[in-house]
Structure formats: C-alpha cells, structure tokens
Amino acid sequence: MKPLMEVRQGTKTIIQPDGLLKHIIQDVSFRLYPNEIVGIAGHSGAGKSTLARTMIRLTDLTEGTLWFREQNITQLRGKALRPFYEHVQMVFQTPQESFDPHHTLGYSMAERLQNQGMEEKERKQRVAQMLEQCGLDRTIAVRYPHEVSGGQCQRAAIARALMGSPDLLLCDEITSALDTITQQQIITLLRQCNMQRGMACVFICHNLALAQQFCQRLLIMHEGRIVEDGKTADVLRHPKSDYTKELIEAVL
C-alpha cells in the first residue's frame, strides 16, 4: 500500500534568544497510510505539536521533505497548496481560539462552502447535518464560540474540519482540556469517522491510556526525535527505549 503522507528526515530548527540553535524536531521519518490511526505521544516539549504543524504546512521544515500521495509538497506555497488543504485538516487543543469570536459557529463551518459558491440554503443544511453527525444539536450553529462548552466547541471544530471530507485529520491534544466523559465521546466520534469515512487520523496526546484505546500505531517522541514506532500494543507491552519505559511507568 502506498503511504498517504510521509516525513523524510524532517528537522525544525529555531534560533533562541541567546543566539544558539535548537532542534525542535530532528531527523524525524515516518509514513502514514490511508485509514490508519497513529498516535504521537511524549512529554511536553518533545516536539509533537511542532511535527503536526509541519505536517499541515503551518510551519516549514528547516531540513528534510514532506510528501503527500507521493508528491513532494515541502516547498509549495499559496495556491499550489490548495489541493492539499482539500484533503488534510487539523483540530487544535483550544477550539475557542481557532474560531473567529465575531462569527457564529455555523458561519465558520460554512465559510469554505461559501467560498466554493454553494447557495446559503444548502450551506445551512450541510452545517446542520454535520453538527448532528458530531453529536450536536443543529441550534449550535447560531451560537458564538464563547456561548458553548469546551466539549461542544471541540465537537464543532471537528465538524468544521470534516466539512470537506478530508482524507487525514490531525488532532493536537484535542482532549487534554476535557473531562473524562467528553474525552470518550470525542474518541468515539473520531473512531466512527475513521470507520465510516475511511479517514486517517494522527492523534497527538500525552495520555497513553487514550492512545492505547484509540490508536492502531504509536510513535513516542523524546527531545525532538522518534524513539519508538510500532503497533500500539507492542510499544506499550514491549518498549525498546529507556525513555518509553519511563513514560509508561509514569502514566500507566
């Protein structure tokens, strides 16, 4: 099977205030396949979120390449990236910040459809359908981000990301600020999207219990590098790196 996305020797380097260079991610390589659910775990500062942001092209790699469906997209800019964004979406840890506070949730969800020229009536129908698929009442569409709970806003963010039926959804710590029940609801929703839509998912988290429950494959990051990559059960039962062993002992 051909990979959906591939990172080849990806490195992201920044210049610190003291003028020294720091590798946020370093020599990272892995493949993601269609319909696959991959977890990326590690302590804060391990490079998980930076890796996700390079995968969605919100920040550029300093070295290495990024491939999507066997096309090198590392240097693509502007209009050349539009086809890529039709297939890949990202949901962030704090959904309220990802929505425009001056617009309703429904408006933000339908913005892409409006840009595509879809009529208002059809846009509203699509938004209502997607909200219901994500376990929300369609009346949520007329509310503003600050008028709903964190769990509701996170579901709305996922609904917005799914509006274009992406092939890949990147989730960056999307359950960390939610209570246990809401976490389970979000995991159930993502699993349904994976099964019904054939959508691949990258699930970035520090909660290994959730990763164990949801992810087919698990990558462990430490100091910007991938130190473990394998089937989730194998990684958690038979960790190879000392860091992974310490991480498991600390949280499981």
Side-chain angles (χ1 to χ4, degrees), residues 113-114 116-125:
L113 304 179
Q114 184 177 4
Q116 295 173 350
M118 185 179 291
E119 296 293 332
E120 182 179 5
K121 182 178 180 181
E122 187 176 357
R123 294 200 306 269
K124 289 183 176 180
Q125 291 176 343

Side-chain angles (χ1 to χ4, degrees), residues 5-23:
M5 178 172 279
E6 183 176 3
V7 182
R8 299 181 185 174
Q9 297 179 308
T11 295
K12 177 64 178 181
T13 305
I14 64 169
I15 301 176
Q16 301 181 103
D18 58 8
L20 297 178
L21 297 179
K22 180 179 181 180
H23 298 303

Side-chain angles (χ1 to χ4, degrees), residues 3 37 66 121 188 230:
I37 301 175
L66 179 66
K121 182 178 180 181
T188 299

Side-chain angles (χ1 to χ4, degrees), residues 4-5 30-40 55 87-91 158 162 166-172 174 186-187 189-195 198-204 214-219:
L4 178 64
M5 178 172 279
F30 75 97
R31 292 179 173 181
L32 173 72
Y33 291 90
N35 202 35
E36 189 176 31
I37 301 175
V38 175
I40 303 178
M55 292 173 67
H87 299 284
V88 181
Q89 290 291 309
M90 186 166 178
V91 182
I158 295 172
L162 296 176
D167 298 313
L168 170 60
L169 184 67
L170 290 94
C171 302
D172 186 11
I174 65 171
I186 295 295
I187 292 299
L189 170 60
L190 292 176
R191 185 180 289 114
Q192 290 173 345
C193 292
N194 170 257
M195 296 176 62
M199 180 187 74
C201 183
V202 172
F203 186 72
I204 296 171
F214 178 52
C215 303
Q216 303 157 349
R217 184 167 142 230
L218 185 61
L219 278 60

